[in-house]
Amino acid sequence: MCGIFCSVGQVAPQDLPPGIQKRLQDRGPDSFRQLPIRIPEADHATLHCEPSKCFLTFAASVLSLRGEALFAQPVADSKLAHILCWNGEAWRIAGQPVVGNDTHVVFKHLVQAASCRDSELHGPSDPSGNCIRDCHDASLKRILNAVGGISGPYAFVFFDRAHQRILFARDILGRRSLLYGLTPDGGVNLASISGSDPSTAWTEVEADGLYVADLAGPLDQDRYNSPGVFGYSLAGSPVPIYRYPWIRPGPNPGPNERLSLPSHFPTLNKSLPGPHIPHLHRDAASVETLAQKLRSSLSARVEDVPSTAAVNQHVAELPRVAILFSGGVDCTVLARLVHDILPSGRIIDLLNVAFENPRVVKAARARQSPKEQNSGDAENSNEASSPLMPAYPRQPPLDGKVQGLNVYDLCPDRLSGRASLAELQQINIPYAEAISHREQIISLMKPHNTEMDLSIAYAFYFAARGSGVVRDPDGQTSTIYTSPARVLLSGLGADELFAGYSRHAAAFGRSGFDGLLDELELDFNRLGCRNLGRDDRVIGHWGKEVRYPYLDEDLVQWALASPVWEKCGFGQDLKGSNGIAEPGKLVLRLLAQILNMPGAASMKKRAVGISQSYMEIRQLMNGHRYNSVHGQRK
């Protein structure tokens, strides 16, 4: 993972905005460097590039997770003809696994695509080495196909000097962050994370295609209005920006597909079952296929993670991988499969977040007997209670036990997490600590600014920090522990692919399979704007990278192509499913059974407890909900 930055200056190379360099280095602690360049006058003589738009600054930090050696960024060739800032993981290119450092492979892949072919040059090139305009579209088409062939999460910025253009994009599922901002002096910034300067208004680059900033200006109306090309002037950009959208290729490409990004994914299989719905059971082919594809996805994401230097002489090797663990079937299956894939003895951290909620604790204490209420910790209690903070310690002890209660075990995600696996790293967040980090989290998640954004960002922020406690083998004592794992696994994607949300059951109840399929199609189509960029900004702050095994392109392709009755159990009789009562994600629940995890297989889907806990804490603070973090009270 990396932090990337690019600016186009009107008068001179842009300095990094206030706070940007520190935040980039937080994301990539292994390397940081800047590369300011000026396009010489001779370069824009042919294409009429205005000199005032040709001052560029590239910067990147690196969290080194691929290959045997550190590969610093920005990446550039010897003549600065091509420059790449890459924040991503290319697992496959054109269907072939990427071996070694993916940044190096992607750079070579894009340079080869951008370079002009002899057959495309119908005359001599100008003295600066620029290709003439005739090869512009041919090289652009190759770049579109090259980017479309990358499997994995990414956001990147690529400078192609020969054609006077900067190309930038996020992957179709939006798994990495990229922001766009205009500076007060007319400069353009692209960055993984926003800065602290309030004069720059940041917006998120949508995961909807490849954007091309034409430094040669002015706006080409023919190109702007051509089929399949969407012209933009993002937030008043001083240079023309064209968008080439993702399109699912058909057998006979139309004009909209000739200059577009070829999507990895087919349309959702919306076949309807006959009068007798096939029964989904443990021996079904789809259960075995899911197991195979999930193992393949996980192997790519966990097997070659570089080791973390041990700082404790009593520990042979520190954990390299951690799982964001709520105890649900999605993350529990991941934990079991990763355990099977990694060598014996390799430690996997299970990160489980719980927030202290004074209101929930107060309600739980009201249900206690007088003897229980007066037991223990009396010397640490507040001198007086209040509606906001009931009478118990302002800072709960390490184990969370206060007057007969564990204030963290009341959190829903802690309950489900311990029900699935007891060996958790418990990330216990006291009320006061949660509130003290609020402004930092709000700043990191920008430009997102709703209360729901904040509630989810809180959970990811503290989970990625990884500071908590682990219970000793005796089960009675706890030890402070901070996870050194740099790679975090998330179960996101399983609900969208296998109908795990309550709205899927509601859609089936209203409109049968037609309604369910429409809801599944809607869920997948909006995955690219599901706020994964926000999560990347928040998690990346701690020098950690989140990976999504359920969103592996090969697994998603299979899930989209499979009929709905091979993925979930709506309309089926579940009496013979050994305790599974919910039809959502039935194929995944059956896999959990095969893996000997009946509790996870039968666990009911519920709302995210960590988010709900924080929402309730916010209500305690002021008794009001907000439309947005910076907005007005309702």
mmCIF file with all atom_site columns, all heavy atoms in Angstrom, residues 91-112:
data_model
loop_
_atom_site.group_PDB
_atom_site.id
_atom_site.type_symbol
_atom_site.label_atom_id
_atom_site.label_alt_id
_atom_site.label_comp_id
_atom_site.label_asym_id
_atom_site.label_entity_id
_atom_site.label_seq_id
_atom_site.pdbx_PDB_ins_code
_atom_site.Cartn_x
_atom_site.Cartn_y
_atom_site.Cartn_z
_atom_site.occupancy
_atom_site.B_iso_or_equiv
_atom_site.pdbx_formal_charge
_atom_site.auth_seq_id
_atom_site.auth_comp_id
_atom_site.auth_asym_id
_atom_site.auth_atom_id
_atom_site.pdbx_PDB_model_num
ATOM 1   N N   . TRP A 1 91  ? -2.945 -8.381  -8.340  1.00 0.00 ? 91  TRP A N   1
ATOM 2   C CA  . TRP A 1 91  ? -2.782 -9.823  -8.117  1.00 0.00 ? 91  TRP A CA  1
ATOM 3   C C   . TRP A 1 91  ? -2.588 -10.560 -9.436  1.00 0.00 ? 91  TRP A C   1
ATOM 4   O O   . TRP A 1 91  ? -1.832 -11.516 -9.508  1.00 0.00 ? 91  TRP A O   1
ATOM 5   C CB  . TRP A 1 91  ? -4.001 -10.386 -7.385  1.00 0.00 ? 91  TRP A CB  1
ATOM 6   C CG  . TRP A 1 91  ? -4.306 -9.696  -6.095  1.00 0.00 ? 91  TRP A CG  1
ATOM 7   C CD1 . TRP A 1 91  ? -5.438 -9.002  -5.776  1.00 0.00 ? 91  TRP A CD1 1
ATOM 8   C CD2 . TRP A 1 91  ? -3.466 -9.614  -4.940  1.00 0.00 ? 91  TRP A CD2 1
ATOM 9   N NE1 . TRP A 1 91  ? -5.356 -8.494  -4.504  1.00 0.00 ? 91  TRP A NE1 1
ATOM 10  C CE2 . TRP A 1 91  ? -4.164 -8.852  -3.960  1.00 0.00 ? 91  TRP A CE2 1
ATOM 11  C CE3 . TRP A 1 91  ? -2.200 -10.106 -4.635  1.00 0.00 ? 91  TRP A CE3 1
ATOM 12  C CZ2 . TRP A 1 91  ? -3.621 -8.581  -2.712  1.00 0.00 ? 91  TRP A CZ2 1
ATOM 13  C CZ3 . TRP A 1 91  ? -1.659 -9.833  -3.383  1.00 0.00 ? 91  TRP A CZ3 1
ATOM 14  C CH2 . TRP A 1 91  ? -2.378 -9.087  -2.444  1.00 0.00 ? 91  TRP A CH2 1
ATOM 15  N N   . ARG A 1 92  ? -3.262 -10.103 -10.473 1.00 0.00 ? 92  ARG A N   1
ATOM 16  C CA  . ARG A 1 92  ? -3.126 -10.694 -11.798 1.00 0.00 ? 92  ARG A CA  1
ATOM 17  C C   . ARG A 1 92  ? -3.173 -9.571  -12.841 1.00 0.00 ? 92  ARG A C   1
ATOM 18  O O   . ARG A 1 92  ? -3.863 -8.563  -12.650 1.00 0.00 ? 92  ARG A O   1
ATOM 19  C CB  . ARG A 1 92  ? -4.247 -11.701 -12.086 1.00 0.00 ? 92  ARG A CB  1
ATOM 20  C CG  . ARG A 1 92  ? -4.208 -12.949 -11.216 1.00 0.00 ? 92  ARG A CG  1
ATOM 21  C CD  . ARG A 1 92  ? -5.312 -13.949 -11.596 1.00 0.00 ? 92  ARG A CD  1
ATOM 22  N NE  . ARG A 1 92  ? -6.645 -13.382 -11.373 1.00 0.00 ? 92  ARG A NE  1
ATOM 23  C CZ  . ARG A 1 92  ? -7.270 -13.383 -10.192 1.00 0.00 ? 92  ARG A CZ  1
ATOM 24  N NH1 . ARG A 1 92  ? -6.666 -13.901 -9.134  1.00 0.00 ? 92  ARG A NH1 1
ATOM 25  N NH2 . ARG A 1 92  ? -8.483 -12.871 -10.081 1.00 0.00 ? 92  ARG A NH2 1
ATOM 26  N N   . ILE A 1 93  ? -2.455 -9.778  -13.939 1.00 0.00 ? 93  ILE A N   1
ATOM 27  C CA  . ILE A 1 93  ? -2.526 -8.881  -15.087 1.00 0.00 ? 93  ILE A CA  1
ATOM 28  C C   . ILE A 1 93  ? -2.774 -9.738  -16.317 1.00 0.00 ? 93  ILE A C   1
ATOM 29  O O   . ILE A 1 93  ? -2.016 -10.682 -16.582 1.00 0.00 ? 93  ILE A O   1
ATOM 30  C CB  . ILE A 1 93  ? -1.247 -8.041  -15.251 1.00 0.00 ? 93  ILE A CB  1
ATOM 31  C CG1 . ILE A 1 93  ? -1.080 -7.075  -14.063 1.00 0.00 ? 93  ILE A CG1 1
ATOM 32  C CG2 . ILE A 1 93  ? -1.278 -7.254  -16.560 1.00 0.00 ? 93  ILE A CG2 1
ATOM 33  C CD1 . ILE A 1 93  ? 0.152  -6.202  -14.149 1.00 0.00 ? 93  ILE A CD1 1
ATOM 34  N N   . ALA A 1 94  ? -3.856 -9.417  -17.034 1.00 0.00 ? 94  ALA A N   1
ATOM 35  C CA  . ALA A 1 94  ? -4.268 -10.200 -18.204 1.00 0.00 ? 94  ALA A CA  1
ATOM 36  C C   . ALA A 1 94  ? -4.405 -11.676 -17.847 1.00 0.00 ? 94  ALA A C   1
ATOM 37  O O   . ALA A 1 94  ? -4.053 -12.560 -18.629 1.00 0.00 ? 94  ALA A O   1
ATOM 38  C CB  . ALA A 1 94  ? -3.287 -10.005 -19.354 1.00 0.00 ? 94  ALA A CB  1
ATOM 39  N N   . GLY A 1 95  ? -4.898 -11.937 -16.632 1.00 0.00 ? 95  GLY A N   1
ATOM 40  C CA  . GLY A 1 95  ? -5.154 -13.305 -16.196 1.00 0.00 ? 95  GLY A CA  1
ATOM 41  C C   . GLY A 1 95  ? -3.950 -14.030 -15.637 1.00 0.00 ? 95  GLY A C   1
ATOM 42  O O   . GLY A 1 95  ? -4.088 -15.147 -15.125 1.00 0.00 ? 95  GLY A O   1
ATOM 43  N N   . GLN A 1 96  ? -2.752 -13.429 -15.686 1.00 0.00 ? 96  GLN A N   1
ATOM 44  C CA  . GLN A 1 96  ? -1.543 -14.095 -15.209 1.00 0.00 ? 96  GLN A CA  1
ATOM 45  C C   . GLN A 1 96  ? -1.145 -13.554 -13.843 1.00 0.00 ? 96  GLN A C   1
ATOM 46  O O   . GLN A 1 96  ? -1.127 -12.338 -13.633 1.00 0.00 ? 96  GLN A O   1
ATOM 47  C CB  . GLN A 1 96  ? -0.393 -13.882 -16.201 1.00 0.00 ? 96  GLN A CB  1
ATOM 48  C CG  . GLN A 1 96  ? -0.663 -14.443 -17.585 1.00 0.00 ? 96  GLN A CG  1
ATOM 49  C CD  . GLN A 1 96  ? -0.953 -15.941 -17.552 1.00 0.00 ? 96  GLN A CD  1
ATOM 50  O OE1 . GLN A 1 96  ? -0.192 -16.710 -16.957 1.00 0.00 ? 96  GLN A OE1 1
ATOM 51  N NE2 . GLN A 1 96  ? -2.041 -16.353 -18.186 1.00 0.00 ? 96  GLN A NE2 1
ATOM 52  N N   . PRO A 1 97  ? -0.799 -14.446 -12.892 1.00 0.00 ? 97  PRO A N   1
ATOM 53  C CA  . PRO A 1 97  ? -0.399 -13.972 -11.562 1.00 0.00 ? 97  PRO A CA  1
ATOM 54  C C   . PRO A 1 97  ? 0.823  -13.062 -11.638 1.00 0.00 ? 97  PRO A C   1
ATOM 55  O O   . PRO A 1 97  ? 1.723  -13.281 -12.458 1.00 0.00 ? 97  PRO A O   1
ATOM 56  C CB  . PRO A 1 97  ? -0.077 -15.271 -10.801 1.00 0.00 ? 97  PRO A CB  1
ATOM 57  C CG  . PRO A 1 97  ? -0.787 -16.349 -11.553 1.00 0.00 ? 97  PRO A CG  1
ATOM 58  C CD  . PRO A 1 97  ? -0.802 -15.927 -12.986 1.00 0.00 ? 97  PRO A CD  1
ATOM 59  N N   . VAL A 1 98  ? 0.836  -12.050 -10.795 1.00 0.00 ? 98  VAL A N   1
ATOM 60  C CA  . VAL A 1 98  ? 1.973  -11.135 -10.727 1.00 0.00 ? 98  VAL A CA  1
ATOM 61  C C   . VAL A 1 98  ? 2.957  -11.666 -9.694  1.00 0.00 ? 98  VAL A C   1
ATOM 62  O O   . VAL A 1 98  ? 2.609  -11.853 -8.526  1.00 0.00 ? 98  VAL A O   1
ATOM 63  C CB  . VAL A 1 98  ? 1.512  -9.713  -10.356 1.00 0.00 ? 98  VAL A CB  1
ATOM 64  C CG1 . VAL A 1 98  ? 2.720  -8.796  -10.150 1.00 0.00 ? 98  VAL A CG1 1
ATOM 65  C CG2 . VAL A 1 98  ? 0.597  -9.148  -11.438 1.00 0.00 ? 98  VAL A CG2 1
ATOM 66  N N   . VAL A 1 99  ? 4.167  -11.904 -10.121 1.00 0.00 ? 99  VAL A N   1
ATOM 67  C CA  . VAL A 1 99  ? 5.211  -12.427 -9.240  1.00 0.00 ? 99  VAL A CA  1
ATOM 68  C C   . VAL A 1 99  ? 6.159  -11.290 -8.882  1.00 0.00 ? 99  VAL A C   1
ATOM 69  O O   . VAL A 1 99  ? 6.588  -10.528 -9.753  1.00 0.00 ? 99  VAL A O   1
ATOM 70  C CB  . VAL A 1 99  ? 5.985  -13.575 -9.923  1.00 0.00 ? 99  VAL A CB  1
ATOM 71  C CG1 . VAL A 1 99  ? 7.099  -14.091 -9.003  1.00 0.00 ? 99  VAL A CG1 1
ATOM 72  C CG2 . VAL A 1 99  ? 5.029  -14.703 -10.311 1.00 0.00 ? 99  VAL A CG2 1
ATOM 73  N N   . GLY A 1 100 ? 6.466  -11.164 -7.613  1.00 0.00 ? 100 GLY A N   1
ATOM 74  C CA  . GLY A 1 100 ? 7.374  -10.123 -7.182  1.00 0.00 ? 100 GLY A CA  1
ATOM 75  C C   . GLY A 1 100 ? 6.649  -8.814  -6.935  1.00 0.00 ? 100 GLY A C   1
ATOM 76  O O   . GLY A 1 100 ? 5.457  -8.778  -6.629  1.00 0.00 ? 100 GLY A O   1
ATOM 77  N N   . ASN A 1 101 ? 7.367  -7.707  -7.105  1.00 0.00 ? 101 ASN A N   1
ATOM 78  C CA  . ASN A 1 101 ? 6.810  -6.396  -6.804  1.00 0.00 ? 101 ASN A CA  1
ATOM 79  C C   . ASN A 1 101 ? 5.850  -5.965  -7.902  1.00 0.00 ? 101 ASN A C   1
ATOM 80  O O   . ASN A 1 101 ? 6.242  -5.825  -9.064  1.00 0.00 ? 101 ASN A O   1
ATOM 81  C CB  . ASN A 1 101 ? 7.935  -5.373  -6.644  1.00 0.00 ? 101 ASN A CB  1
ATOM 82  C CG  . ASN A 1 101 ? 7.409  -4.027  -6.181  1.00 0.00 ? 101 ASN A CG  1
ATOM 83  O OD1 . ASN A 1 101 ? 6.922  -3.245  -6.974  1.00 0.00 ? 101 ASN A OD1 1
ATOM 84  N ND2 . ASN A 1 101 ? 7.492  -3.781  -4.881  1.00 0.00 ? 101 ASN A ND2 1
ATOM 85  N N   . ASP A 1 102 ? 4.599  -5.718  -7.533  1.00 0.00 ? 102 ASP A N   1
ATOM 86  C CA  . ASP A 1 102 ? 3.596  -5.402  -8.541  1.00 0.00 ? 102 ASP A CA  1
ATOM 87  C C   . ASP A 1 102 ? 3.748  -3.989  -9.087  1.00 0.00 ? 102 ASP A C   1
ATOM 88  O O   . ASP A 1 102 ? 3.376  -3.724  -10.242 1.00 0.00 ? 102 ASP A O   1
ATOM 89  C CB  . ASP A 1 102 ? 2.188  -5.602  -7.977  1.00 0.00 ? 102 ASP A CB  1
ATOM 90  C CG  . ASP A 1 102 ? 1.882  -4.686  -6.811  1.00 0.00 ? 102 ASP A CG  1
ATOM 91  O OD1 . ASP A 1 102 ? 2.752  -4.523  -5.936  1.00 0.00 ? 102 ASP A OD1 1
ATOM 92  O OD2 . ASP A 1 102 ? 0.771  -4.124  -6.765  1.00 0.00 ? 102 ASP A OD2 1
ATOM 93  N N   . THR A 1 103 ? 4.303  -3.060  -8.303  1.00 0.00 ? 103 THR A N   1
ATOM 94  C CA  . THR A 1 103 ? 4.484  -1.690  -8.795  1.00 0.00 ? 103 THR A CA  1
ATOM 95  C C   . THR A 1 103 ? 5.382  -1.687  -10.026 1.00 0.00 ? 103 THR A C   1
ATOM 96  O O   . THR A 1 103 ? 5.092  -1.017  -11.033 1.00 0.00 ? 103 THR A O   1
ATOM 97  C CB  . THR A 1 103 ? 5.100  -0.795  -7.702  1.00 0.00 ? 103 THR A CB  1
ATOM 98  O OG1 . THR A 1 103 ? 4.287  -0.857  -6.536  1.00 0.00 ? 103 THR A OG1 1
ATOM 99  C CG2 . THR A 1 103 ? 5.208  0.637   -8.178  1.00 0.00 ? 103 THR A CG2 1
ATOM 100 N N   . HIS A 1 104 ? 6.473  -2.415  -9.957  1.00 0.00 ? 104 HIS A N   1
ATOM 101 C CA  . HIS A 1 104 ? 7.406  -2.506  -11.082 1.00 0.00 ? 104 HIS A CA  1
ATOM 102 C C   . HIS A 1 104 ? 6.722  -3.118  -12.301 1.00 0.00 ? 104 HIS A C   1
ATOM 103 O O   . HIS A 1 104 ? 6.887  -2.622  -13.429 1.00 0.00 ? 104 HIS A O   1
ATOM 104 C CB  . HIS A 1 104 ? 8.617  -3.334  -10.670 1.00 0.00 ? 104 HIS A CB  1
ATOM 105 C CG  . HIS A 1 104 ? 9.611  -3.567  -11.764 1.00 0.00 ? 104 HIS A CG  1
ATOM 106 N ND1 . HIS A 1 104 ? 10.314 -2.546  -12.348 1.00 0.00 ? 104 HIS A ND1 1
ATOM 107 C CD2 . HIS A 1 104 ? 10.000 -4.714  -12.396 1.00 0.00 ? 104 HIS A CD2 1
ATOM 108 C CE1 . HIS A 1 104 ? 11.111 -3.040  -13.291 1.00 0.00 ? 104 HIS A CE1 1
ATOM 109 N NE2 . HIS A 1 104 ? 10.932 -4.349  -13.338 1.00 0.00 ? 104 HIS A NE2 1
ATOM 110 N N   . VAL A 1 105 ? 5.947  -4.170  -12.089 1.00 0.00 ? 105 VAL A N   1
ATOM 111 C CA  . VAL A 1 105 ? 5.273  -4.857  -13.198 1.00 0.00 ? 105 VAL A CA  1
ATOM 112 C C   . VAL A 1 105 ? 4.223  -3.943  -13.831 1.00 0.00 ? 105 VAL A C   1
ATOM 113 O O   . VAL A 1 105 ? 4.115  -3.853  -15.058 1.00 0.00 ? 105 VAL A O   1
ATOM 114 C CB  . VAL A 1 105 ? 4.640  -6.171  -12.706 1.00 0.00 ? 105 VAL A CB  1
ATOM 115 C CG1 . VAL A 1 105 ? 3.832  -6.832  -13.815 1.00 0.00 ? 105 VAL A CG1 1
ATOM 116 C CG2 . VAL A 1 105 ? 5.713  -7.130  -12.199 1.00 0.00 ? 105 VAL A CG2 1
ATOM 117 N N   . VAL A 1 106 ? 3.437  -3.250  -13.000 1.00 0.00 ? 106 VAL A N   1
ATOM 118 C CA  . VAL A 1 106 ? 2.409  -2.351  -13.525 1.00 0.00 ? 106 VAL A CA  1
ATOM 119 C C   . VAL A 1 106 ? 3.043  -1.207  -14.315 1.00 0.00 ? 106 VAL A C   1
ATOM 120 O O   . VAL A 1 106 ? 2.545  -0.817  -15.386 1.00 0.00 ? 106 VAL A O   1
ATOM 121 C CB  . VAL A 1 106 ? 1.540  -1.801  -12.373 1.00 0.00 ? 106 VAL A CB  1
ATOM 122 C CG1 . VAL A 1 106 ? 0.649  -0.668  -12.863 1.00 0.00 ? 106 VAL A CG1 1
ATOM 123 C CG2 . VAL A 1 106 ? 0.692  -2.911  -11.772 1.00 0.00 ? 106 VAL A CG2 1
ATOM 124 N N   . PHE A 1 107 ? 4.148  -0.663  -13.817 1.00 0.00 ? 107 PHE A N   1
ATOM 125 C CA  . PHE A 1 107 ? 4.820  0.424   -14.525 1.00 0.00 ? 107 PHE A CA  1
ATOM 126 C C   . PHE A 1 107 ? 5.250  -0.013  -15.919 1.00 0.00 ? 107 PHE A C   1
ATOM 127 O O   . PHE A 1 107 ? 4.989  0.676   -16.918 1.00 0.00 ? 107 PHE A O   1
ATOM 128 C CB  . PHE A 1 107 ? 6.024  0.902   -13.712 1.00 0.00 ? 107 PHE A CB  1
ATOM 129 C CG  . PHE A 1 107 ? 6.782  2.031   -14.352 1.00 0.00 ? 107 PHE A CG  1
ATOM 130 C CD1 . PHE A 1 107 ? 6.192  3.273   -14.520 1.00 0.00 ? 107 PHE A CD1 1
ATOM 131 C CD2 . PHE A 1 107 ? 8.093  1.857   -14.781 1.00 0.00 ? 107 PHE A CD2 1
ATOM 132 C CE1 . PHE A 1 107 ? 6.881  4.329   -15.111 1.00 0.00 ? 107 PHE A CE1 1
ATOM 133 C CE2 . PHE A 1 107 ? 8.790  2.896   -15.371 1.00 0.00 ? 107 PHE A CE2 1
ATOM 134 C CZ  . PHE A 1 107 ? 8.189  4.132   -15.533 1.00 0.00 ? 107 PHE A CZ  1
ATOM 135 N N   . LYS A 1 108 ? 5.904  -1.152  -16.025 1.00 0.00 ? 108 LYS A N   1
ATOM 136 C CA  . LYS A 1 108 ? 6.327  -1.663  -17.335 1.00 0.00 ? 108 LYS A CA  1
ATOM 137 C C   . LYS A 1 108 ? 5.122  -1.912  -18.231 1.00 0.00 ? 108 LYS A C   1
ATOM 138 O O   . LYS A 1 108 ? 5.160  -1.636  -19.440 1.00 0.00 ? 108 LYS A O   1
ATOM 139 C CB  . LYS A 1 108 ? 7.129  -2.955  -17.151 1.00 0.00 ? 108 LYS A CB  1
ATOM 140 C CG  . LYS A 1 108 ? 8.481  -2.768  -16.497 1.00 0.00 ? 108 LYS A CG  1
ATOM 141 C CD  . LYS A 1 108 ? 9.169  -4.096  -16.235 1.00 0.00 ? 108 LYS A CD  1
ATOM 142 C CE  . LYS A 1 108 ? 9.366  -4.907  -17.503 1.00 0.00 ? 108 LYS A CE  1
ATOM 143 N NZ  . LYS A 1 108 ? 10.073 -6.180  -17.226 1.00 0.00 ? 108 LYS A NZ  1
ATOM 144 N N   . HIS A 1 109 ? 4.046  -2.415  -17.654 1.00 0.00 ? 109 HIS A N   1
ATOM 145 C CA  . HIS A 1 109 ? 2.812  -2.709  -18.386 1.00 0.00 ? 109 HIS A CA  1
ATOM 146 C C   . HIS A 1 109 ? 2.232  -1.423  -18.991 1.00 0.00 ? 109 HIS A C   1
ATOM 147 O O   . HIS A 1 109 ? 1.844  -1.394  -20.176 1.00 0.00 ? 109 HIS A O   1
ATOM 148 C CB  . HIS A 1 109 ? 1.830  -3.344  -17.395 1.00 0.00 ? 109 HIS A CB  1
ATOM 149 C CG  . HIS A 1 109 ? 0.589  -3.899  -17.984 1.00 0.00 ? 109 HIS A CG  1
ATOM 150 N ND1 . HIS A 1 109 ? 0.574  -4.874  -18.952 1.00 0.00 ? 109 HIS A ND1 1
ATOM 151 C CD2 . HIS A 1 109 ? -0.726 -3.626  -17.711 1.00 0.00 ? 109 HIS A CD2 1
ATOM 152 C CE1 . HIS A 1 109 ? -0.666 -5.186  -19.250 1.00 0.00 ? 109 HIS A CE1 1
ATOM 153 N NE2 . HIS A 1 109 ? -1.483 -4.436  -18.521 1.00 0.00 ? 109 HIS A NE2 1
ATOM 154 N N   . LEU A 1 110 ? 2.187  -0.348  -18.217 1.00 0.00 ? 110 LEU A N   1
ATOM 155 C CA  . LEU A 1 110 ? 1.620  0.906   -18.696 1.00 0.00 ? 110 LEU A CA  1
ATOM 156 C C   . LEU A 1 110 ? 2.555  1.606   -19.683 1.00 0.00 ? 110 LEU A C   1
ATOM 157 O O   . LEU A 1 110 ? 2.088  2.197   -20.671 1.00 0.00 ? 110 LEU A O   1
ATOM 158 C CB  . LEU A 1 110 ? 1.317  1.824   -17.513 1.00 0.00 ? 110 LEU A CB  1
ATOM 159 C CG  . LEU A 1 110 ? 0.199  1.368   -16.569 1.00 0.00 ? 110 LEU A CG  1
ATOM 160 C CD1 . LEU A 1 110 ? 0.046  2.345   -15.408 1.00 0.00 ? 110 LEU A CD1 1
ATOM 161 C CD2 . LEU A 1 110 ? -1.125 1.224   -17.319 1.00 0.00 ? 110 LEU A CD2 1
ATOM 162 N N   . VAL A 1 111 ? 3.849  1.566   -19.446 1.00 0.00 ? 111 VAL A N   1
ATOM 163 C CA  . VAL A 1 111 ? 4.795  2.194   -20.369 1.00 0.00 ? 111 VAL A CA  1
ATOM 164 C C   . VAL A 1 111 ? 4.723  1.535   -21.738 1.00 0.00 ? 111 VAL A C   1
ATOM 165 O O   . VAL A 1 111 ? 4.708  2.211   -22.782 1.00 0.00 ? 111 VAL A O   1
ATOM 166 C CB  . VAL A 1 111 ? 6.232  2.131   -19.805 1.00 0.00 ? 111 VAL A CB  1
ATOM 167 C CG1 . VAL A 1 111 ? 7.254  2.529   -20.862 1.00 0.00 ? 111 VAL A CG1 1
ATOM 168 C CG2 . VAL A 1 111 ? 6.364  3.032   -18.588 1.00 0.00 ? 111 VAL A CG2 1
ATOM 169 N N   . GLN A 1 112 ? 4.660  0.217   -21.740 1.00 0.00 ? 112 GLN A N   1
ATOM 170 C CA  . GLN A 1 112 ? 4.565  -0.497  -23.010 1.00 0.00 ? 112 GLN A CA  1
ATOM 171 C C   . GLN A 1 112 ? 3.283  -0.117  -23.750 1.00 0.00 ? 112 GLN A C   1
ATOM 172 O O   . GLN A 1 112 ? 3.284  0.066   -24.974 1.00 0.00 ? 112 GLN A O   1
ATOM 173 C CB  . GLN A 1 112 ? 4.614  -2.008  -22.769 1.00 0.00 ? 112 GLN A CB  1
ATOM 174 C CG  . GLN A 1 112 ? 4.588  -2.827  -24.052 1.00 0.00 ? 112 GLN A CG  1
ATOM 175 C CD  . GLN A 1 112 ? 4.670  -4.318  -23.789 1.00 0.00 ? 112 GLN A CD  1
ATOM 176 O OE1 . GLN A 1 112 ? 4.346  -4.777  -22.691 1.00 0.00 ? 112 GLN A OE1 1
ATOM 177 N NE2 . GLN A 1 112 ? 5.102  -5.081  -24.771 1.00 0.00 ? 112 GLN A NE2 1
#
